[in-house]
Structures are given as C-alpha cells and as structure tokens.
Amino acid sequence: MVSGNLAFAQKFGFPKLVSQSDKIHHLIPKNWKVLDSARGDLNRDQQPDLVLILEYNQAIDEDRAYGNYEIELITETQKPRMLAIYFKSGNRYRLALQNNDFILRSEEGGKLGDPLKGLRVDKNNLALSFEGGNAWRWKLNYEFQYLQNQWNLVTANNVYYNNETGEMVDKQYDFVDRTIKTVVGSIFKRNISNETEEDILVFSQPRTLSDFKKPWTWEVTKDNYL
C-alpha cells in the first residue's frame, strides 16, 4: 500500500499555467525555462501575442505516442515540453492555449539531435517546424490558425528523404482548399525532374492543437502520417 502511494506521489504532473499577467517572467512556472519564443498577431486584434515553448529542468520517464495515440505508447526518458500561447490585451498577457503534448522532445529527433527547428508567427498563423532521422531523414512543418476559439491545422508539409542519394517524397497538405500535393524525385534537384501529383484531400473535420496529440499520430490518408 505504501509503495503504491509512493509511486503515485512521484508521478510527473504538468503545471497549470498562469492565466494572465503583465510580466512575462510571471508566466514561467518554477523549474521550467523558455526554450523558444515568438511574437505576432494571432487573433487579428493588432496586438503582438506571445508564443512560448517551455522545457522542464530535468529528464523524467514520459509516455509518448507513436502511430495511433490510443494504442501505441512508448516510454522515453527526456525533459517534458509545453506550448503556451498568450494573447496580448492592453498591457497584460492572457492564456489562450496550453498544450503539453505536441512539441517534440529533445530525444525524438534520432541522430540529428533535437528535432525542434522553428517557431514563428507568420501572417497571423502559428508555424512549427521539426526535423530528424538518420540516413533517411524527415521534415515536418505545420501551420495553425486561430478560428472560432480553436487552433485549426490549415497547412502541413512532410518531407521524407535520403541524405546521401537525395531520394525524396514531399507531401504538401492544404486543409483549407482540401488538396494534397505529392512531389517525388530528388531533394537535390527539386525543380528539374521531379514528378508532382495533386489529389483531393478527404477528412471529416479539422484537426486542432487540442486533439492532435503529437506529430506522426494522424493518418491523414492511408499510410500518410503527420
């Protein structure tokens, strides 16, 4: 009974982020640090909103999803990360999103190391970039848009390529126009002899940052994962 209670007490829990403050340092929980940040207008009110990627200060055993989130969990020893979005309102920052799952951790990029490669606000959209792999490498790019109080995935790009031969498959998803463009060829000769196909993208409803648990967990079309 004691050991069971002890195990429960030691289980890691993500902190609940501060709902609002006029000081940025008040938004950072104890034992966490800012790994990356970006500013820009995300809710189209002409105010510079704030996006933070936060990392815990020590590694823990964390269950992470690969493939189907419901049935396939792998335990990784790494530092947890959070994505936080604060809307600027006057001189205060108000919490608009806390996501504990979507940002890839430092150990999830293979031999290339930390897969987190980019965070920015681009034309009112939140853009995130990841990269990893070994001889065969991958790049993932996502853009989310704040619409009707949720963060919809509007575009995505998945590039899978061989670093030595240049062999490449580049899938470009547009969830607004509902199209998927597939480019097959060489990453070294992108605009010369590559073949491009464009198809209709069929999906039932938009994916959001609330239900899209982690990169590589959404099978958008058969055998095509984001």
Side-chain angles (χ1 to χ4, degrees), residues 180-203:
I180 174 173
K181 181 185 293 185
T182 303
V183 181
V184 178
S186 171
I187 199 169
F188 303 133
K189 302 176 181 179
R190 278 181 173 271
N191 299 316
I192 299 177
S193 59
N194 293 341
E195 297 180 0
T196 301
E197 292 183 358
E198 188 167 320
D199 296 307
I200 296 173
L201 185 56
V202 179
F203 58 95

Side-chain angles (χ1 to χ4, degrees), residues 42-203:
L42 288 165
N43 59 348
R44 301 175 187 270
D45 66 352
Q46 309 303 313
Q47 293 282 320
D49 304 314
L50 177 65
V51 185
L52 302 172
I53 293 179
L54 305 172
E55 184 178 70
Y56 193 54
N57 66 358
Q58 63 183 26
I60 65 161
D61 289 339
E62 186 178 24
D63 291 336
R64 295 285 284 162
Y66 292 86
N68 187 326
Y69 190 82
E70 299 297 326
I71 63 174
E72 190 172 356
L73 293 175
I74 295 177
T75 300
E76 301 275 15
T77 302
Q78 56 197 354
K79 296 179 180 180
R81 290 176 174 177
M82 292 189 292
L83 174 67
I85 301 177
Y86 282 88
F87 288 155
K88 186 76 179 294
S89 179
N91 66 342
R92 301 185 72 80
Y93 294 94
R94 302 180 187 277
L95 183 64
L97 174 80
Q98 175 178 347
N99 185 293
N100 303 333
D101 299 307
F102 196 77
I103 301 300
L104 292 178
R105 294 11 176 181
S106 62
E107 303 305 307
E108 294 177 333
K111 289 185 177 179
L112 289 185
D114 194 332
L116 180 60
K117 298 302 178 184
L119 165 67
R120 70 186 191 281
V121 176
D122 185 13
K123 298 178 181 178
N124 306 113
N125 290 348
L126 171 65
L128 294 163
S129 298
F130 305 99
E131 184 175 354
N134 302 309
W136 280 96
R137 300 182 179 182
W138 49 264
K139 294 182 179 182
L140 289 171
N141 300 293
Y142 303 91
E143 284 198 15
F144 293 89
Q145 184 179 85
Y146 185 68
L147 185 65
Q148 298 179 343
N149 296 320
Q150 64 182 14
W151 298 90
N152 289 344
L153 179 63
V154 289
T155 66
N157 175 219
N158 176 2
V159 183
Y160 187 59
Y161 68 100
N162 188 292
N163 189 53
E164 295 181 359
T165 66
E167 183 181 352
M168 172 200 72
V169 178
D170 180 358
K171 294 185 178 294
Q172 302 165 22
Y173 301 86
D174 187 325
F175 296 98
V176 177
D177 292 338
R178 291 178 176 258
T179 61
I180 174 173
K181 181 185 293 185
T182 303
V183 181
V184 178
S186 171
I187 199 169
F188 303 133
K189 302 176 181 179
R190 278 181 173 271
N191 299 316
I192 299 177
S193 59
N194 293 341
E195 297 180 0
T196 301
E197 292 183 358
E198 188 167 320
D199 296 307
I200 296 173
L201 185 56
V202 179
F203 58 95

